[in-house]
Amino acid sequence: MKKNLFLLTVLFLLNTAFMPELFAGPDSGNSGSRADEASEKNNASHTDNIFALKNWDFFFTLGPMVYVNTDSKSAPSPIMFGGGLGFEFFNNHYINFQPKFTFFTNYYLWDGKNARPAEIENRTALVLSCLLDLDASHTWIFEKNALQAGAGISFLGRFGLLANGVDESEKDSVKSINSWYYQSMNFLYPNIAVSWMRKLDSKWHAGFEGRIYIPLGAIADGRGFDTMIATLGVKVCSK
């Protein structure tokens, strides 16, 4: 009798311990929490794929620049390398504001009427140049990618120095070159800019940027697109 009572007690305990699990099915107790965890992971993964934009940030550019020269008597259109530093403001708005500085150098000569780019053997002045861009742009975001297009006005500041090895008698030519830079809107360039950026695993975005600078001075003087500038470079942005 005691043996039967003991067996009944064991069976009752086993029934109490395991029957709910049998009826509920495997892992039913954790299914809700596991589903929540999976949802959170999916949301986190989706968030990581979003190209996040701060209200403002800064960026660097580096690449070749083509300075168009339509005068066949001087140097062919030179290719220079420019380094740039820019900022993006109001990224949380439909239109943002992008000021940018680009620095580069080149050799020039004076042809009696215009300052022209020169080959090293025909140089008169070593010219230090700085482009200031004041642009408005809009950004389209596609997960980890961002496409940006904009336009604005640019000011080309240039200052020429007598190049090393050039005779002192050419100082007057250098003065003429420096004066020409700021006559007849030769310093004024409307520009069009396009860039593509991709979010990296770090806190940086990287991609490419292209710009075209339209020479108002040359157009007003009847020289067409002489002195136009076209650039294509690498762009790295802090996010």
Side-chain angles (χ1 to χ4, degrees), residues 93-191:
H93 291 69
Y94 186 78
I95 299 293
N96 68 12
F97 174 57
Q98 280 191 27
K100 178 188 174 186
F101 297 92
T102 304
F103 303 93
F104 56 97
T105 64
N106 195 31
Y107 291 119
Y108 283 80
L109 58 78
W110 180 247
D111 71 358
K113 183 180 179 181
N114 298 303
R116 294 290 182 183
E119 295 148 325
I120 189 170
E121 60 270 18
N122 297 319
R123 71 194 185 281
T124 298
L126 170 64
V127 177
L128 311 177
S129 303
C130 176
L131 262 173
L132 170 61
D133 304 333
L134 300 175
D135 290 4
S137 64
H138 176 70
T139 305
W140 293 268
I141 297 176
F142 309 95
E143 293 187 349
K144 286 190 175 183
N145 302 285
L147 178 65
Q148 195 171 72
I153 191 71
S154 300
F155 301 89
L156 178 55
R158 289 178 280 189
F159 181 73
L161 304 168
L162 189 67
N164 186 37
V166 176
D167 193 88
E168 293 286 333
S169 62
E170 294 292 339
K171 282 188 175 181
D172 288 340
S173 294
V174 175
K175 289 181 181 178
S176 298
I177 290 171
N178 284 329
S179 297
W180 181 86
Y181 289 146
Y182 302 99
Q183 295 173 355
S184 305
M185 297 187 294
N186 289 327
F187 58 91
L188 203 55
Y189 284 79
N191 80 79

Side-chain angles (χ1 to χ4, degrees), residues 1-15:
M1 183 67 180
K2 291 182 179 179
K3 184 177 181 179
N4 291 336
L5 181 62
F6 174 75
L7 289 175
L8 289 174
T9 303
V10 170
L11 289 174
F12 175 77
L13 292 174
L14 290 174
N15 181 68

